[in-house]
Amino acid sequence: MQHSSELRSVPPSIQLIITIKGCGFYSSLQAKNLCSKCYNDFLKELIAKSTAEVKVDPSSAAPNPSVSVDSSSVPTPSKLKNRCESCNKKVGLMGFSCRCGKVLCGVHRYPKEHSCNFDFKTADRLILAEENSLVMADKLESRI
């Protein structure tokens, strides 16, 4: 008897309910009466539908010559770079990234080893010019 009164005292949002789809797992009202797996699938479908509505059919849209997108300017999804770009060796977490933008292994991390085309001297001179302001002596010698 006491056990059933405890179930009644639990708020309805926390009570366990079997899912709508009948997969045999418990669900909650926050997940729209779906188990976690079914709810994730539901969210993926919702996102896919919203992106499908946003896409425009290129054949139905009138081509506008003033708005042209070059395929080279469109950013591609970047992959996880975990290989040396010189020897294709797996570098894992210990990959060295060069200023030229390459990810390299321990052997090829030095600029001479991977034929780096980055101009270190000019880049460092620009940084020094920005950081170090011109120091001028005081023109009034009598000032304290």
Side-chain angles (χ1 to χ4, degrees), residues 7-44:
L7 283 178
R8 290 185 189 141
S9 65
V10 175
S13 62
I14 300 176
Q15 285 183 353
L16 299 176
I17 304 167
I18 295 186
T19 62
I20 293 174
K21 290 191 175 182
C23 59
F25 293 103
Y26 291 105
S27 65
S28 66
L29 293 176
Q30 291 87 7
K32 298 188 180 189
N33 291 337
L34 297 170
C35 68
S36 60
K37 184 178 182 304
C38 296
Y39 186 68
N40 286 337
D41 293 340
F42 170 75
L43 290 177
K44 287 178 185 176

Side-chain angles (χ1 to χ4, degrees), residues 69-77:
V69 177
D70 190 15
S71 62
S72 62
S73 66
V74 175
T76 58

